[in-house]
Amino acid sequence: MKNKEKNKSTLYLIVLLAIFLIPKLVAEEKNYLQWQIAYHNGEQEQPEHWYPATVPGAVQHDVMNADNYKQPWWYADNVTQFEWMEDVWFTYRTSFVSPKLKEGERLYFYSKGIDYKFNIILNGKTIWEQEGMFTYVDVDITDYLEESNLLQVLLYPVPKLGFDDPPENPDNFRKNARESTKPAVSYRWDWHPRCITRGIWDETYLEIRQKAHLDDVWVSYVLDEELSNAFMNIEVSGEDLENKRYQWTLKDSSGITVLDKQGVLLSDHSFIEAELSSPELWWPNGYGNPYLYSFKLRLFDNNMQEIDNHESKVGFRKIELITNEKSWSNSPGFPATSPLPPASLSVNNRRIFAKGSNWVHPEVFIGNITADRYREQIELAKNANFNILRVWGGGIVNKESFYDICDELGILVWQEFPLACNYYAGKPSYLKILEQEAISIVKRLRKHASVALWSGGNELYWAGMTEQSLPLRLLNSVCYSLDPQTPYINTSPYYGVGHGHYLFYDKDSDKEVFQWMVEARNTAYTEFGVPGISNAEVLKSFIPADKLFPPEKESVWSMHHGFNAWRKSSWAEMETYRKYFGEPASLEELVNNSQLMQSEGYKFIFEEARRQKPYCSMAINWCFQEPWPSAANNSIINWPNEPKEAYYHVSDALRPVLISMRASKFQFKEGDNFPFDLYLLNDTYDRLEKCEVKLFLIYDNKEEELYSWNCPEAMPFENVVGPSAHFIIPKMGSKLFEVKVKVNNRPEYESTYRFAYKHVN
């Protein structure tokens, strides 16, 4: 028996050696490692079991895959299996043989993301301690190496402040994050489950570098008033750079070199001046080409042998946040005040109408987010005529590929710091971590042409913070110091900017989107939503068949935000659906009715915001996508990447030019008056020719002409306010009818609107 146990132990050791020691490090750019993971109750406790780990990944995934957990994790209530993991410690470990370093070479441990508080231990010695998941880890481990090495990453338990009770109040959950820079959303939200992720969530590897090497190259620039010259100040940082020769080249999109600078670096933090005449400009989607130049900085030793190089891209554009037209107070005389704060974006000296959505990370387990997933979703955003995404402050700062793709596709990024819906006090311990994270975030993202606006976070004034709150003053100072050309705001909403409503019909006020949105007067609408039940096939993928229909409040529907998510009825607003359509007879009927209302609601809000231009300059709905399958919410993309019907109607409402009809309500009956207003909406800088517009009523397989309008020509970036008229609703047999706007010789301007018909006995 003893020999069998001894043989078993020997075999286990051989397996470990095969896993960890065979991959030897060579002098390549990146050397990825094999990892294991284990959990334990205390920092010093030795784990009992080690599991294979996926990096990038999450501790929950690794334990689930190794143990007998119910899968898939997002089915039914399986996500609750992970809650016990919040309060334990986790350790990652890997082993490697020390590489044979040449003279002047050093070995670095590099990670783009470890969540959240952790120590790095090499051969039993703690060599790095960090709190914060958005600061890259870059540690020279050369002096700690042995022939064979054990590298560990020790993860602390989740930061919590004891606000879990009473559990029915989700606001108490999010308060746990108010003294850390960990995104609050994972503690639970009305569209995100309680699942507080941890782990190595982004690229992580060992890297052999020369003693003299580049750490970073940033092309800072200022455009002159005519945008005809770019004055560049190229910031170069690294180790042992003094007296090293360099060559910096800038190439256009076709690969032709347009600038070539050569010289000697004076220190480890040097600047190179350059000037580019007549640069091609980077433009957001719908306003021009998002033109990108590529550059390369090469570093040489005294013999002109290349030591290191850095390649990246740069887009030249001028971004400003300017005061909206007509935004001064209407109060005449004195005492006078100031106008509303700026909320209008100007790009390259042109005002734009910012159209887009709030972006949340597309996976609960952020280590699973890939560049392909980013691209799929950002391409959907571009195809929906979006030109901006607001990266919401309750979620993560995205991986680098997100910003690369936004640069490429011309999508502006409104980037918030990881603060949301909390009162973040100015405690020195918190401010220290916040400053560390903010500096890291700004230095990384300022290089991207797409990053157009910094924001302290989400709804912080609602939580009791003010412009004098120390965290916001700190963030403003960091942004000004490191990226002064990019605008900064403390939070959204701020004075003049609106968040809400989030319902098609609000029974408390007895108003639909068709009423409250017309009454609203905001310089920007940066959150608004209309709930919609998810696509039927999505529902079937995570709700057991016997619970699918009719929806029940105390079931998987609630776990996945169908009920009691925001208020008792949200987000599956059953009373609202019954109000307009009666009791649904099937799941498919329920989904169709819900998505019809979401589509028409979103279409109306987006078009109404555009009708309020130039006083209004921005419309950004809540929200674009979701990180796991929901039963219902405000998103227009179902997880993992399936558009709802509303996606197509939002795209329709955001076309650069269209004829828009404002209606007064959603449901009509025979004899009702149907008043309407017509507009030509023009967000382009083209001068548009006049056109002939006709309205048709479509019902019961009939089409009746209602009205005609000779729309005059439109000036660049100006709407045309058309006539107001009305018609009387005839008797109908169907439950729905349409009003279609047709445009002679301009089918791309046409629009269709759907309404409910109420049969009266």
Side-chain angles (χ1 to χ4, degrees):
M1 187 70 178
K2 289 182 179 179
N3 288 336
K4 287 184 179 180
E5 290 298 325
K6 183 177 180 180
N7 292 338
K8 186 177 180 181
S9 299
T10 302
L11 180 61
Y12 182 71
L13 180 60
I14 292 172
V15 171
L16 282 180
L17 289 172
I19 292 174
F20 292 114
L21 298 184
I22 287 178
K24 291 186 170 68
L25 298 181
V26 294
E28 296 174 349
E29 185 176 349
K30 299 174 183 177
N31 295 279
Y32 295 94
L33 298 164
Q34 304 273 351
W35 293 88
Q36 288 186 321
I37 196 169
Y39 56 86
H40 41 108
N41 292 320
E43 181 177 1
Q44 303 300 326
E45 182 178 289
Q46 294 301 309
E48 294 183 11
H49 303 289
W50 289 90
Y51 307 105
T54 299
V55 173
V59 299
Q60 289 92 337
H61 256 259
D62 293 331
V63 174
M64 175 185 67
N65 291 333
D67 282 347
N68 189 26
Y69 275 58
K70 291 183 288 185
Q71 297 200 45
W73 68 268
W74 40 262
Y75 185 80
D77 64 351
N78 289 354
V79 71
T80 60
Q81 298 173 114
F82 303 132
E83 290 184 5
W84 67 268
M85 299 184 189
E86 298 172 4
D87 301 319
V88 302
W89 300 70
F90 280 88
T91 297
Y92 284 87
R93 75 177 184 186
T94 187
S95 297
F96 63 93
V97 173
S98 290
K100 293 181 179 179
L101 299 175
K102 299 176 184 178
E103 184 178 354
E105 289 183 338
R106 309 287 292 180
L107 184 65
Y108 284 76
F109 175 71
Y110 188 79
S111 177
K112 293 183 177 180
I114 302 177
D115 181 8
Y116 166 73
K117 184 178 180 180
F118 55 92
N119 296 345
I120 297 172
I121 304 164
L122 182 59
N123 299 323
K125 183 178 179 60
T126 299
I127 62 172
W128 189 260
E129 298 179 2
Q130 181 172 312
E131 178 179 348
M133 59 188 286
F134 301 117
T135 297
Y136 286 5
V137 177
D138 194 5
V139 183
D140 185 346
I141 64 174
T142 311
D143 295 337
Y144 305 98
L145 292 174
E146 298 175 2
E147 183 176 349
S148 296
N149 300 276
L150 176 65
L151 177 64
Q152 297 170 287
V153 178
L154 174 70
L155 300 180
Y156 285 66
V158 166
K160 291 194 290 188
L161 297 177
F163 286 100
D164 288 350
D165 295 318
E168 64 272 10
N169 184 356
D171 288 344
N172 284 332
F173 287 109
R174 68 184 62 161
K175 288 179 182 178
N176 284 290
R178 68 193 179 117
E179 291 184 12
S180 75
T181 56
K182 188 168 176 63
V185 69
S186 62
Y187 291 85
R188 201 178 89 182
W189 225 264
D190 55 72
W191 47 270
H192 191 291
R194 171 74 174 225
C195 187
I196 310 176
T197 59
R198 274 183 294 163
I200 304 177
W201 67 279
D202 207 344
E203 274 195 293
T204 298
Y205 48 84
L206 297 178
E207 184 175 48
I208 297 173
R209 304 176 191 166
Q210 297 288 335
K211 181 181 179 182
H213 64 267
L214 298 166
D215 287 336
D216 198 16
V217 180
W218 176 41
V219 179
S220 172
Y221 63 88
V222 175
L223 294 167
D224 62 16
E225 287 300 315
E226 293 75 28
L227 310 178
S228 58
N229 288 282
F231 303 98
M232 288 171 276
N233 200 15
I234 304 150
E235 184 175 347
V236 181
S237 59
E239 299 290 335
D240 196 28
L241 300 185
E242 187 174 358
N243 296 323
K244 298 297 187 300
R245 298 199 62 83
Y246 72 85
Q247 180 188 34
W248 181 81
T249 54
L250 182 71
K251 295 183 178 181
D252 64 18
S253 62
S254 62
I256 297 174
T257 299
V258 294
L259 282 179
D260 188 324
K261 299 281 291 185
Q262 300 182 42
V264 176
L265 298 174
L266 300 179
S267 69
D268 288 349
H269 193 178
S270 296
F271 295 89
I272 304 167
E273 292 184 353
E275 181 179 344
L276 179 66
S277 298
S278 303
E280 294 283 350
L281 299 178
W282 185 95
W283 288 94
N285 186 32
Y287 290 95
N289 180 22
Y291 196 95
L292 294 172
Y293 290 83
S294 60
F295 69 84
K296 184 174 185 178
L297 190 138
R298 302 173 69 196
L299 188 68
F300 301 97
D301 63 17
N302 294 332
N303 298 318
M304 291 304 294
Q305 295 296 310
E306 183 173 314
I307 304 170
D308 201 358
N309 67 74
H310 179 97
E311 295 182 73
S312 190
K313 295 184 178 181
V314 60
F316 297 103
R317 86 290 185 270
K318 180 181 178 183
I319 299 280
E320 297 176 287
L321 193 64
I322 59 178
T323 302
N324 292 45
E325 294 183 30
K326 304 179 181 180
S327 64
W328 280 85
S329 170
N330 293 323
S331 301
F334 292 96
T337 184
S338 63
L340 293 175
S344 184
L345 280 171
S346 170
V347 182
N348 301 331
N349 296 336
R350 281 188 168 182
R351 289 180 185 265
I352 71 165
F353 194 94
K355 303 177 286 192
S357 194
N358 280 267
W359 174 275
V360 300
H361 44 270
E363 295 282 351
V364 166
F365 296 104
I366 56 179
N368 294 343
I369 304 173
T370 64
D372 288 342
R373 172 56 50 79
Y374 279 140
R375 180 170 293 279
E376 289 169 354
Q377 296 200 334
I378 299 170
E379 285 181 347
L380 282 173
K382 178 183 178 181
N383 294 337
N385 299 304
F386 288 2
N387 56 37
I388 192 168
L389 291 172
R390 175 183 176 231
V391 180
W392 176 71
I396 67 165
V397 179
N398 288 278
K399 298 179 180 180
E400 196 69 15
S401 55
F402 171 85
Y403 304 95
D404 289 337
I405 297 165
C406 288
D407 289 347
E408 175 192 336
L409 299 183
I411 302 298
L412 296 167
V413 175
W414 166 338
Q415 180 63 56
E416 299 200 330
F417 291 97
L419 293 79
C421 304
N422 272 325
Y423 183 87
Y424 295 85
K427 291 185 177 181
S429 57
Y430 169 67
L431 293 176
K432 178 182 178 182
I433 304 303
L434 180 63
E435 183 175 26
Q436 165 202 290
E437 294 289 83
I439 289 172
S440 299
I441 292 165
V442 174
K443 282 187 173 182
R444 176 163 72 92
L445 302 191
R446 66 185 178 179
K447 307 167 188 176
H448 292 277
S450 57
V451 175
L453 180 64
W454 296 107
S455 171
N458 177 66
E459 296 175 0
L460 301 178
Y461 288 169
W462 287 7
M465 299 181 73
T466 72
E467 67 278 359
Q468 293 302 315
S469 296
L470 290 181
L472 298 181
R473 292 176 62 187
L474 183 154
L475 292 173
N476 194 356
S477 70
V478 169
C479 289
Y480 179 78
S481 173
L482 298 177
D483 191 21
Q485 302 301 322
T486 302
Y488 169 88
I489 60 174
N490 277 329
T491 188
S492 183
Y494 55 91
Y495 186 46
V497 173
H499 276 204
H501 208 313
Y502 303 94
L503 300 174
F504 183 94
Y505 168 73
D506 179 23
K507 65 180 180 181
D508 295 332
S509 64
D510 193 28
K511 290 182 179 179
E512 301 172 338
V513 296
F514 296 88
Q515 291 92 49
W516 63 255
M517 185 61 195
V518 173
E519 296 170 358
R521 185 166 174 77
N522 293 90
T523 54
Y525 300 93
T526 55
E527 272 195 29
F528 54 85
V530 181
I533 292 177
S534 293
N535 298 348
E537 292 306 310
V538 172
L539 295 172
K540 293 173 183 177
S541 73
F542 68 89
I543 299 179
D546 62 339
K547 299 294 183 182
L548 268 171
F549 188 82
E552 297 177 355
K553 290 190 175 182
E554 301 302 325
S555 70
V556 176
W557 279 83
S558 291
M559 170 63 66
H560 289 255
H561 324 299
F563 302 104
N564 299 314
W566 174 45
R567 59 186 195 176
K568 288 185 178 180
S569 57
S570 297
W571 288 114
E573 296 278 321
M574 297 300 295
E575 292 182 21
T576 297
Y577 308 143
R578 294 185 183 105
K579 168 183 169 65
Y580 293 103
F581 297 107
E583 193 69 37
S586 66
L587 177 68
E588 286 69 25
E589 181 182 342
L590 172 62
V591 171
N592 289 341
N593 292 341
S594 165
Q595 294 203 4
L596 165 66
M597 296 174 69
Q598 185 183 39
S599 299
E600 294 302 321
Y602 266 136
K603 184 191 301 183
F604 184 86
I605 300 171
F606 271 113
E607 290 188 14
E608 179 60 29
R610 294 179 65 185
R611 289 190 285 260
Q612 294 177 15
K613 190 181 83 174
Y615 182 79
C616 174
S617 63
M618 193 177 298
I620 303 176
N621 81 291
W622 181 267
C623 57
F624 185 60
Q625 81 290 53
E626 56 195 29
W628 82 317
S630 70
N633 69 13
N634 292 148
S635 70
I636 61 175
I637 303 291
N638 277 148
W639 183 86
N641 198 43
E642 184 176 331
K644 294 181 184 176
E645 181 186 347
Y647 166 83
Y648 303 101
H649 292 269
V650 167
S651 174
D652 193 62
L654 297 183
R655 287 170 290 160
V657 180
L658 72 146
I659 302 295
S660 172
M661 183 191 74
R662 176 195 285 154
S664 62
K665 60 180 182 178
F666 178 61
Q667 188 176 62
F668 296 84
K669 64 181 184 300
E670 180 185 0
D672 279 353
N673 186 44
F674 189 113
F676 62 88
D677 307 299
L678 292 176
Y679 289 75
L680 181 143
L681 303 181
N682 175 28
D683 289 343
T684 75
Y685 276 84
D686 298 329
R687 185 166 180 164
L688 306 179
E689 297 179 352
K690 59 185 179 181
C691 57
E692 182 181 358
V693 178
K694 291 188 176 183
L695 255 69
F696 292 85
L697 175 65
I698 301 173
Y699 69 99
D700 296 348
N701 297 318
K702 295 185 288 187
E703 182 175 286
E704 298 178 1
E705 185 174 337
L706 298 171
Y707 192 79
S708 63
W709 171 40
N710 291 318
C711 178
E713 65 179 13
M715 297 297 102
F717 199 62
E718 288 187 7
N719 296 335
V720 175
V721 180
S724 299
H726 67 95
F727 65 92
I728 303 301
I729 296 293
K731 184 176 182 179
M732 301 182 186
S734 59
K735 292 183 179 180
L736 297 173
F737 66 94
E738 295 180 352
V739 176
K740 185 172 181 62
V741 182
K742 296 185 179 181
V743 185
N744 186 36
N745 296 326
R746 289 292 183 183
E748 68 272 21
Y749 294 2
E750 296 182 351
S751 302
T752 301
Y753 303 89
R754 298 172 295 172
F755 301 91
Y757 180 81
K758 184 176 182 179
H759 292 267
V760 179
N761 295 329

